[in-house]
């Protein structure tokens, strides 16, 4: 009897999930590690944060996916990846050590605070479902608290929101809070004057959505201003302390809730038995076949992959389509053991939504905006969700919200703090 090669995949995002579903389970013993037992859909995190969608609508259990035809045979391990023991070819999580013959790193990225790690304790981030729920609860609580506050100055301080970063995530969450101010506040919170809520988005470059066309940037700027969002371009946040945001020009803004979407960096991993260090942005430089340079039998795909080319000298864009295409590409190479055709990214365009009937899309050389772009954005995101239940749930929520300007999801659900989780027998 022959023993199948063990392929271990770290991360159940777009890259990792597409890889394991396409791998030949007759040929390989396939396992996947993730800190969560579900696959989340990051492009819709902002809709959870703004109470437009329920978290379960954009998350799908990994074990259920591995029970389907294409996922059958994949073993799932829950855990945080702590280290890779290169010499002994095993991955160490907070629960176990897992051996591998081939290792694929698809852990994605985390928040980049650009040398100011203390910000993690001060700002709200939007890189996971948990973080989106945290933002949702804080926004709702501030609205409820402000509704019973008689002092106008205190109300205005409670409802002072700042978004750092003018990329798609920043524009989308700023637009969602702008819609709350323009359409929802006067109906659900009649005690709060509209002018008491302020929302500002700060971008360090001279335009929003810098990776998209100038037409898309101009449309996003116009639409945000129509939603009563203050836009500051060409400004960087230097510090945030005691609710004061200090910008690089010395000016200051007061905000009790800062949402950080300004940058990402690779998820950190320790390497044992090797002095290997990741490259720029904690991403892993690879060759054209996603093989990590300087490490044997280790591959990197998705946002954590750094593949230079003439068209992308700073690496491929950290987009879902890159991750999906690399996952499928690497699976084909493994299945057929062919390494003669290099990976080439097929750019299918970029999209961002600013609010109801407001979106921008760059598809090849075609630029769309307004209602048509918004419909295209919804269609693409809807078909990309896992599971028919999720698709139907999101579609029904969107239709209901479109005609009623309402959602049943503005519920403050903090969860109980006690009792604490019991200790496992092996943890003492």
């Amino acid at each position: 009897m022959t023993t199948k090669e063990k392929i271990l995949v770290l991360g159940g995002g777009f890259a990792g999930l597409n890889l394991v579903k396409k791998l030949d389970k007759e040929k390989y013993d396939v396992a996947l590690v993730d800190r969560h037992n579900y696959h989340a859909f990051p492009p819709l995190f902002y809709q959870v944060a703004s109470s437009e969608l329920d978290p379960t609508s954009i998350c799908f259990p990994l074990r259920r996916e591995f029970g389907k035809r294409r996922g059958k045979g994949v073993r799932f391990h829950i855990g945080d990846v702590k280290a890779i023991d290169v010499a002994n070819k095993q991955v160490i999580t907070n629960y176990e050590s897992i051996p591998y013959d081939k290792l694929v790193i698809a852990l994605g990225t985390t928040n980049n605070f650009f040398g100011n790690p203390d910000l993690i304790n001060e700002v709200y981030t939007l890189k996971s479902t948990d973080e989106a729920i945290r933002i949702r609860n804080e926004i709702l609580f501030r609205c409820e608290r402000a509704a019973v506050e008689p002092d106008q100055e205190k109300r205005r301080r409670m409802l002072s929101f700042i978004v750092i970063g003018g990329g798609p995530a920043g524009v989308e969450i700023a637009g969602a809070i702008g819609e709350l101010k323009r359409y929802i506040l006067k109906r659900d919170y009649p005690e709060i004057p509209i002018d008491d809520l302020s929302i500002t988005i700060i971008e360090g470059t001279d335009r929003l959505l810098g990776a998209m066309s100038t037409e898309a940037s101009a449309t996003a700027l116009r639409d945000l201003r129509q939603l009563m969002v203050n836009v500051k371009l060409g400004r960087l946040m230097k510090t945030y302390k005691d609710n004061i945001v200090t910008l690089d020009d010395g000016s200051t803004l007061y905000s009790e809730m800062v949402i950080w979407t300004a940058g990402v960096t690779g998820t950190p991993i320790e390497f044992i038995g090797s002095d290997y260090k990741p490259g720029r942005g904690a991403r892993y430089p690879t060759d054209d076949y996603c093989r990590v340079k300087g490490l044997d039998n280790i591959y990197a795909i998705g946002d954590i992959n750094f593949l230079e080319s003439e068209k992308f000298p700073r690496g491929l864009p950290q987009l879902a389509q890159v991750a999906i295409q690399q996952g499928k590409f690497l699976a084909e190479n493994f299945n057929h053991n062919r390494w003669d055709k290099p990976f080439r990214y097929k750019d299918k365009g970029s999209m961002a939504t600013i609010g109801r009937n407001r979106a921008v899309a760059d598809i090849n050389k075609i630029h769309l905006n307004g209602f048509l772009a918004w419909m295209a954005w919804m269609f693409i995101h809807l078909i990309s969700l896992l599971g028919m239940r999720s698709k139907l749930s999101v579609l029904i929520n969107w239709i209901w919200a479109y005609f009623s300007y309402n959602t049943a999801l503005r519920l403050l659900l903090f969860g109980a703090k006690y009792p604490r989780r019991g200790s496992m027998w092996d943890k003492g």
Side-chain angles (χ1 to χ4, degrees):
M1 294 180 64
T2 59
T3 303
K4 291 189 289 187
E5 271 195 302
K6 297 181 177 67
I7 295 182
L8 181 60
V9 181
L10 309 182
F14 290 120
L17 190 58
N18 276 277
L19 169 63
V20 298
K21 287 166 66 174
K22 292 286 186 179
L23 281 172
D24 184 351
K25 284 57 166 202
E26 296 294 327
K27 187 174 183 179
Y28 296 107
D29 180 2
V30 183
L32 183 142
V33 180
D34 199 285
R35 67 178 56 151
H36 302 295
N37 71 340
Y38 56 84
H39 167 82
F41 193 71
L44 293 180
F45 281 160
Y46 89 94
Q47 293 217 345
V48 174
S50 56
S51 303
E52 295 176 50
L53 288 177
D54 185 85
T56 59
S57 297
I58 67 164
C59 299
F60 196 85
L62 286 168
R63 289 188 180 275
R64 186 184 301 175
E65 189 67 11
F66 297 155
K68 296 179 180 178
R69 181 177 60 84
R70 289 195 298 170
K72 278 191 179 296
V74 180
R75 290 180 293 107
F76 174 68
H77 297 253
I78 195 166
D80 269 316
V81 175
K82 299 300 182 182
I84 298 173
D85 186 341
V86 176
N88 295 308
K89 299 184 77 171
Q90 61 181 5
V91 169
I92 301 167
T93 75
N94 51 334
Y95 302 126
E96 60 180 333
S97 296
I98 311 170
Y100 68 84
D101 294 311
K102 298 181 187 295
L103 178 66
V104 182
I105 304 173
L107 287 172
T109 55
T110 186
N111 298 289
N112 186 357
F113 296 111
F114 301 103
N116 192 357
D118 293 339
L119 282 177
I120 195 171
N121 298 315
E122 305 292 337
V123 300
Y124 291 78
T125 51
L126 193 54
K127 287 291 291 177
S128 71
T129 309
D130 294 334
E131 293 172 6
I133 294 172
R134 180 73 178 90
I135 291 175
R136 181 195 70 182
N137 284 340
E138 186 66 16
I139 292 174
L140 291 177
F141 179 73
R142 287 183 173 277
C143 289
E144 295 292 352
R145 177 66 181 82
V148 296
E149 174 55 58
D151 188 298
Q152 183 185 49
E153 182 58 28
K154 287 183 180 179
R155 275 201 312 270
R156 289 184 170 181
R157 287 173 178 263
M158 290 175 189
L159 299 175
S160 53
F161 303 99
I162 288 180
V163 175
I164 306 295
V171 166
E172 287 167 352
I173 188 63
I177 299 175
E179 287 197 318
L180 169 68
K181 176 176 181 176
R182 180 165 181 174
Y183 301 117
I184 307 301
L185 209 62
K186 60 186 176 183
R187 186 193 65 203
D188 284 13
Y189 303 95
E191 305 90 343
I192 303 174
I194 289 180
D195 290 339
D196 285 358
L197 188 153
S198 65
I199 170 67
T200 301
I201 183 169
I202 300 172
E203 165 57 32
T205 65
D206 60 354
R207 65 188 183 97
L208 301 169
L209 302 176
M212 297 184 69
S213 65
T214 54
E215 292 91 342
S217 299
T219 300
L221 178 62
R222 181 200 66 200
D223 287 349
L224 284 177
R225 285 175 172 167
Q226 288 177 353
L227 291 173
M228 295 184 275
V229 176
N230 302 313
V231 181
K232 288 186 175 293
L233 300 176
R235 290 288 175 264
L236 295 172
M237 188 185 90
K238 301 300 290 183
T239 61
Y240 178 53
K241 188 175 182 181
D242 298 327
N243 295 331
I244 300 295
V245 172
T246 303
L247 303 180
D248 57 351
D249 63 351
S251 61
T252 59
L253 296 169
Y254 184 91
S255 177
E256 293 190 1
M257 186 173 180
V258 172
I259 301 173
W260 182 273
T261 68
V264 295
T265 186
T267 302
I269 310 173
E270 178 188 357
F271 285 85
I272 300 173
S274 171
D275 59 358
Y276 179 82
K277 299 292 182 185
R280 179 178 179 175
R283 298 166 75 183
Y284 296 88
T286 70
D287 62 15
D288 288 338
Y289 306 93
C290 300
R291 297 177 294 205
V292 176
K293 297 177 180 179
L295 293 173
D296 294 330
N297 295 312
I298 296 182
Y299 305 76
I301 56 177
D303 287 356
I304 209 164
N305 166 284
F306 185 81
L307 176 57
E308 292 178 295
S309 67
E310 186 176 339
K311 185 177 180 180
F312 299 102
R314 303 179 66 179
L316 293 172
Q318 292 166 298
L319 301 173
Q321 268 302 319
V322 175
I324 292 169
Q325 290 177 33
Q326 285 187 331
K328 294 177 179 179
F329 165 82
L330 192 56
E332 285 295 311
N333 282 3
F334 280 146
N335 291 343
H336 299 102
N337 197 26
R338 292 183 57 185
W339 303 91
D340 56 348
K341 187 177 180 180
F343 175 76
R344 292 294 180 262
Y345 168 52
K346 297 177 182 177
D347 189 355
K348 296 186 177 181
S350 301
M351 295 179 169
T353 180
I354 300 98
R356 174 191 174 100
N357 293 338
R358 305 171 192 269
V360 289
D362 291 331
I363 305 170
N364 295 323
K365 295 183 179 180
I366 301 173
H367 171 70
L368 303 176
N369 62 60
F371 179 77
L372 190 59
W374 186 64
M375 291 296 290
W377 179 92
M378 287 196 298
F379 174 76
I380 293 298
H381 286 72
L382 193 65
I383 64 173
S384 300
L385 286 166
L386 290 181
M388 185 55 65
R389 176 190 172 278
S390 295
K391 289 180 172 66
L392 289 174
S393 175
V394 170
L395 179 61
I396 291 170
N397 269 286
W398 283 348
I399 293 173
W400 181 263
Y402 184 79
F403 289 105
S404 69
Y405 281 91
N406 199 9
T407 173
L409 302 174
R410 293 190 186 92
L411 308 176
L412 275 170
L413 302 172
F414 291 113
K417 185 176 180 180
Y418 298 105
R420 301 186 188 279
R421 178 183 294 163
S423 296
M424 299 291 182
W425 70 271
D426 60 341
K427 299 298 180 184

